[in-house]
Amino acid sequence: MKKLFLGFCLLVGFTTIAQTVADPPFMQDTADKYFFEEAAENVDLLQIASDRNKAIKVLSSHGLLLPHEKIIRQDVQYRPLLDMKLVALTEYQGQFVYLTNKAVLSNAWAGKLYINHNIKTPKAMGIGPDFLTMIAGENDFAIFKNNQEVWRSSINNLNPISVQHDLNSGQFLILTATGLYQVDSDLKTVKKVFEATNLTAFGFYGDTIVLGTTNGIQILDRNTFTITKMDQKLPWTEITSVKNIRGSLWFGSTKGAFKLRDDGKYDYYASKRWLVDDQVVDLAEGPDGSVLVLTQKGMSKIDFSPMTLAQKADYFQEIQRLRHIRYGFTSDLAMKTPGDISTGYFHDTDNDGLWTSMYLAGELFRYAVTKSEDAKENAYEAFEAMERLTALPGLKGFPARSFERDGYEVGLHANGFSEEWREKYEKENGRIWQLSNDELWRWKSTTSSDESCGHFFVYALFAELAPDKAWRDRAIHQIKIEMDHIMDNDWHLVDWNGKPTAWGKWNPDYVNGFPINVGDRRLNSTLILSFLQTAYHFTKDKKYKKAAENLIKKHGYDENANRPASVIGFVEGEDLSNTWNHSDDEMYFLTIPSFVNYSFSEEQKEAHFNAVKSHWEVERSEKNPLWNYLFALSGGKNIDSEESAWWLREFPMDLIDWKIDNEHRKDLTKIAPNFRNQTYTEVLPGDERTLHLHNGAYRNNGGSDGNREYAPYIYLLPYWAGRYVDAISAPQPE
């Protein structure tokens, strides 16, 4: 059964129609990172492995290391190993096997595996069936069976990188930087089967041998050793490791790790979201389906766990409540120590009302879907914080950006403005932070249109979905006083100093002062008409309808708002038209349900919907679920439900603002610089690009050094909006 957006639907005969995507468990990837804090310049991390007991060992140039409580430290479990010079580490039959300068040994099998190899400078080892073992060193190698040597030979200038046993042929392969050697222990022959340069690693994958190089990969037929493919279309081409892990082909590189997908593309794991650093040294199969990634400065354990979108929402809801609520506002968490949640603290932003409105909307949708008392309580708490934004200034409906206890305000300037701008503004107009009448609080002035947009969006939703009439009436009161403030001040937000704020302007002289190709002319007309329609819808006060009709008839606001989004473009000399403004998209889509569904007539509604659809078509390639679900609430039918679910599945579990760079990637096709700031021919998954709010769109590079954790509402709102419009099913059993 399709859910109805109450007033948006029942009172105007509107029904949402979306294609429902089932929500069975999918494999959600997360990363645990372990840092080698005792690392010195002369200590190198070399190899990593895991055994059937779920133990993880790291081989370094100074012996074995052990990951524990996010730290890698010296492994002292087996004291004899501390006195041995370990050269290589591998896993065989679920047990650790070590190569030292003197022997191959293991502490498993009662310690019975012990081979004195007498290789002068051992480098690598490989183990086949029944403990058939090969050790290769500089220029020579030896093969052992039942702990006894069966053959020894030499190869001029042999400098082995890796030794592996090929189960298909029953023979060993030795990789060097210049070629691949096949060793037949039965016939006691060795031959160079492939010659190349700059080889770094190899692994078996089906009927092929995959060779890593310093500039891409080469794929050989496993039987003939002929090249079947050479590939440089990779996330990065300087390969350090090639591993077949549970049937999936993984690569390590000097710029992260990546896994080949079934569709021929790659899942890319780089940046501190996934790895301690991006210089991958080794890869290995880890415990419980995980993958171990060893880098120069530590290791990561990438886990894959079945999870539904609903379970993901539950996880984020817990994080939201635990560390992202400030006075009822939704707040990011700043961190004194980058990446360390325990050092997190709250501070104000320019858009506390807007971000809170988006979390509040998600909780209203959750309540409508589940009737959860917890969702209702959270919504009411957030509403009270927003309600106080107009109470503290005492300016008859003027909403502050934020508030904080006197003396503790942090954000001294409006977002997007320089310190020079702030100093100039304060010199001419006074402090941006104003003292409340009780002299206990400061409220933040200079409020912009995006704050008003969030307020009208969520107050309308609250008036529709909140279960208690007294609370609904409070939301309607907020709509009324904020609308009255704008109307009483000639279509401006007027600050404490009697002057319009920089961006709170809907006055005809301002709006129509822009050419029709500038987005603000279309956007501001849409916003103010939607605000007036919302006020009229809930209060039935004809002054709002009359004011809207005046803007339409005398100043062409309907004509402005109904222009298709395709008219927006670059206009010479207009600073607001240098590029497409994706923050405007956020304002636009939050506004469209009211803009369409509270239209004054069916004719107007159809025109408004066509304008909205034109904007959605432009934004469609982003696969943004929030835009798609809000479009559904505005009457959209084919809303790309599967693409929206993909966006939610690929959304990262780690919400820390890590610095991410995709500029080097060779598996992506770049496009020419363009008005919409698109970089590639496709939208990257959320866990492979920098985190951003819904106004980020194509932002693939950037971020910080982990100085903040984003509030999870950026997932929660689209998820619960999707559930509300029935574009996402309830969680399905596995």
Side-chain angles (χ1 to χ4, degrees):
M1 177 180 177
K2 302 295 180 184
K3 297 177 179 66
L4 300 181
F5 194 26
L6 294 183
F8 281 3
C9 304
L10 292 178
L11 299 184
V12 294
F14 172 72
T15 306
T16 63
I17 301 175
Q19 306 79 42
T20 304
V21 173
D23 186 20
F26 61 95
M27 298 308 291
Q28 176 66 61
D29 42 4
T30 56
D32 281 328
K33 288 162 281 188
Y34 299 79
F35 297 82
F36 186 32
E37 290 190 340
E38 300 173 2
E41 290 185 3
N42 61 341
V43 179
D44 296 321
L45 303 184
L46 304 173
Q47 289 181 290
I48 191 167
S50 174
D51 70 1
R52 67 183 185 86
N53 303 313
K54 303 183 181 181
I56 298 171
K57 304 286 186 182
V58 173
L59 177 64
S60 79
S61 57
H62 284 198
L64 280 183
L65 306 174
L66 185 71
H68 179 68
E69 294 182 350
K70 307 301 182 182
I71 301 296
I72 299 176
R73 50 173 60 104
Q74 186 181 31
D75 181 359
V76 298
Q77 290 179 339
Y78 277 94
R79 289 174 293 123
L81 293 179
L82 296 173
D83 297 324
M84 297 180 185
K85 185 177 180 181
L86 300 182
V87 175
L89 164 69
T90 192
E91 174 270 329
Y92 179 72
Q93 293 184 359
Q95 304 285 2
F96 294 119
V97 179
Y98 307 99
L99 172 64
T100 77
N101 61 330
K102 296 181 179 180
V104 171
L105 60 95
S106 177
N107 296 314
W109 307 292
K112 292 185 289 185
L113 175 62
Y114 190 91
I115 301 171
N116 280 309
H117 54 66
N118 292 317
I119 298 291
K120 184 179 294 185
T121 311
K123 296 281 190 177
M125 65 174 164
I127 307 177
D130 299 322
F131 294 91
L132 184 68
T133 303
M134 178 176 177
I135 299 101
E138 292 182 0
N139 300 322
D140 59 349
F141 64 87
I143 296 177
F144 300 84
K145 188 173 184 179
N146 298 324
N147 291 0
Q148 301 298 313
E149 182 179 313
V150 295
W151 183 41
R152 180 180 295 262
S153 187
S154 62
I155 302 173
N156 290 335
N157 300 316
L158 178 68
N159 190 10
I161 296 172
S162 176
V163 173
Q164 294 189 53
H165 185 270
D166 184 359
L167 288 174
N168 282 12
S169 66
Q171 298 169 353
F172 286 101
L173 296 177
I174 306 175
L175 180 74
T176 71
T178 58
L180 190 66
Y181 294 83
Q182 186 181 59
V183 179
D184 190 323
S185 59
D186 293 330
L187 298 177
K188 297 184 178 180
T189 60
V190 58
K191 60 181 178 180
K192 194 173 191 178
V193 293
F194 183 74
E195 187 166 358
T197 57
N198 299 319
L199 300 178
T200 57
F202 84 105
F204 302 112
Y205 187 63
D207 294 329
T208 67
I209 297 171
V210 182
L211 299 173
T213 77
T214 57
N215 191 26
I217 61 174
Q218 300 182 27
I219 300 176
L220 309 182
D221 183 279
R222 197 163 174 174
N223 298 311
T224 65
F225 301 104
T226 56
I227 295 178
T228 61
K229 184 179 181 181
M230 300 177 68
D231 194 0
Q232 293 178 319
K233 198 173 177 61
L234 310 169
W236 187 237
T237 54
E238 191 173 358
I239 305 301
T240 58
S241 181
V242 178
K243 292 290 174 70
N244 185 327
I245 300 178
R246 301 183 186 91
S248 294
L249 187 59
W250 282 79
F251 298 93
S253 77
T254 55
K255 290 185 182 291
F258 43 95
K259 181 185 74 170
L260 179 66
R261 299 199 315 241
D262 292 340
D263 62 2
K265 298 180 181 180
Y266 294 92
D267 289 329
Y268 186 38
Y269 299 89
S271 82
K272 290 185 178 180
R273 177 182 292 159
W274 297 106
L275 308 177
V276 175
D277 64 280
D278 286 345
Q279 294 276 340
V280 177
V281 175
D282 193 22
L283 299 165
E285 180 176 323
D288 300 321
S290 67
V291 172
L292 305 177
V293 183
L294 184 67
T295 62
Q296 282 188 341
K297 298 178 182 178
M299 62 153 281
S300 291
K301 184 166 75 76
I302 300 177
D303 289 299
F304 300 86
S305 304
M307 177 179 284
T308 62
L309 294 176
Q311 289 171 323
K312 196 168 182 176
D314 289 343
Y315 169 82
F316 283 135
Q317 181 68 249
E318 184 173 337
I319 298 301
Q320 174 82 23
R321 301 308 304 177
L322 183 64
R323 53 180 183 258
H324 290 280
I325 304 298
R326 182 184 75 91
Y327 305 132
F329 288 129
T330 282
S331 176
D332 289 346
L333 188 73
M335 286 173 273
K336 293 182 178 179
T337 302
D340 185 351
I341 295 294
S342 68
T343 67
Y345 63 94
F346 298 134
H347 66 78
D348 54 85
T349 73
D350 281 349
N351 296 116
D352 283 349
L354 175 58
W355 311 144
T356 302
S357 76
M358 297 175 80
Y359 174 61
L360 171 51
E363 290 301 89
L364 290 169
F365 287 133
R366 181 161 77 100
Y367 178 79
V369 172
T370 66
K371 295 300 181 287
S372 162
E373 284 296 309
D374 176 65
K376 184 182 80 169
E377 290 179 17
N378 294 342
Y380 286 2
E381 179 186 42
F383 176 85
E384 285 193 292
M386 292 190 63
E387 192 178 44
R388 199 172 186 215
L389 289 172
T390 52
L392 278 175
L395 297 176
K396 296 182 179 180
F398 178 87
R401 288 181 178 272
S402 184
F403 56 77
E404 182 54 274
R405 297 184 192 277
D406 182 31
Y408 293 91
E409 61 272 19
V410 173
L412 297 178
H413 63 282
N415 187 32
F417 293 106
S418 66
E419 192 69 13
E420 181 182 358
W421 180 93
R422 178 187 68 81
E423 292 175 357
K424 181 177 183 295
Y425 179 91
E426 292 188 354
K427 183 178 180 180
E428 296 176 355
N429 303 282
R431 287 195 66 191
I432 289 173
W433 284 93
Q434 295 297 306
L435 192 63
S436 62
N437 289 333
D438 61 12
E439 298 186 350
L440 295 175
W441 295 85
R442 289 276 178 181
W443 58 270
K444 196 172 190 178
S445 61
T446 73
T447 307
S448 58
S449 56
D450 48 352
E451 285 294 287
S452 295
C453 173
H455 289 214
F456 278 91
F457 162 67
V458 83
Y459 290 149
L461 194 65
F462 198 96
E464 301 280 10
L465 298 182
D468 302 305
K469 184 179 184 303
W471 284 85
R472 295 197 300 272
D473 288 344
R474 287 166 67 175
I476 295 170
H477 175 71
Q478 289 299 122
I479 292 170
K480 176 176 173 53
I481 63 172
E482 292 195 28
M483 190 71 257
D484 287 348
H485 174 89
I486 295 170
M487 290 177 62
D488 292 345
N489 288 284
D490 195 23
W491 308 108
H492 296 103
L493 287 177
V494 172
D495 220 331
W496 61 274
N497 56 10
K499 298 180 181 181
T501 65
W503 300 108
K505 299 176 181 178
W506 299 274
N507 181 277
D509 291 339
Y510 174 79
V511 171
N512 288 333
F514 293 111
I516 62 171
N517 307 100
V518 175
D520 275 36
R521 179 165 177 160
R522 178 176 182 270
L523 174 65
N524 282 23
S525 298
T526 302
L527 295 184
I528 199 64
L529 290 180
S530 176
F531 296 170
L532 289 164
Q533 290 173 191
T534 300
Y536 176 71
H537 177 82
F538 287 105
T539 68
K540 300 307 177 187
D541 190 330
K542 292 182 180 179
K543 73 176 183 179
Y544 302 118
K545 184 176 182 181
K546 183 178 179 180
E549 290 172 343
N550 183 63
L551 291 175
I552 291 169
K553 293 175 181 178
K554 289 188 176 182
H555 303 287
Y557 274 41
D558 236 12
E559 183 181 354
N560 291 338
N562 291 336
R563 286 192 182 95
S566 57
V567 304
I568 300 173
F570 174 74
V571 178
E572 188 71 38
E574 286 287 347
D575 291 340
L576 294 178
S577 195
N578 289 330
T579 58
W580 186 278
N581 188 334
H582 292 284
S583 290
D584 287 353
D585 293 327
E586 185 169 65
M587 298 166 66
Y588 189 81
F589 278 96
L590 291 182
T591 303
I592 62 174
S594 298
F595 179 59
V596 174
N597 298 312
Y598 295 154
S599 296
F600 298 133
S601 67
E602 287 301 314
E603 181 182 7
Q604 187 189 50
K605 179 179 177 181
E606 182 180 358
H608 286 184
F609 174 77
N610 288 335
V612 164
K613 185 177 180 183
S614 76
H615 203 118
W616 176 76
E617 290 285 0
V618 172
E619 291 295 297
R620 194 172 183 179
S621 63
E622 293 180 23
K623 304 181 181 180
N624 188 320
L626 183 56
W627 300 171
N628 292 333
Y629 302 147
L630 291 174
F631 180 55
L633 286 174
S634 307
K637 296 180 181 179
N638 177 20
I639 64 162
D640 298 338
S641 294
E642 184 52 54
E643 288 82 354
S644 300
W646 169 85
W647 190 101
L648 293 168
R649 294 186 196 107
E650 296 294 334
F651 189 81
M653 300 292 281
D654 182 348
L655 298 184
I656 294 177
D657 185 28
W658 297 116
K659 185 172 292 183
I660 291 177
D661 180 21
N662 286 292
E663 189 65 26
H664 59 273
R665 291 181 63 169
K666 299 185 178 182
D667 60 325
L668 303 174
T669 302
K670 286 189 176 182
I671 58 179
N674 56 86
F675 182 67
R676 285 179 51 72
N677 287 329
Q678 290 173 286
T679 310
Y680 307 113
T681 56
E682 58 188 296
V683 173
L684 294 185
D687 60 3
E688 294 183 15
R689 57 181 173 176
T690 183
L691 264 172
H692 50 72
L693 307 178
H694 288 283
N695 59 357
Y698 301 104
R699 195 180 304 159
N700 298 308
N701 306 308
S704 72
D705 291 325
N707 296 317
R708 66 165 167 168
E709 182 184 55
Y710 279 86
Y713 77 87
I714 51 181
Y715 175 93
L716 293 170
L717 173 55
Y719 171 75
W720 285 111
R723 287 290 303 276
Y724 183 79
V725 301
D726 213 14
I728 304 171
S729 77
Q732 303 294 305
E734 188 171 358

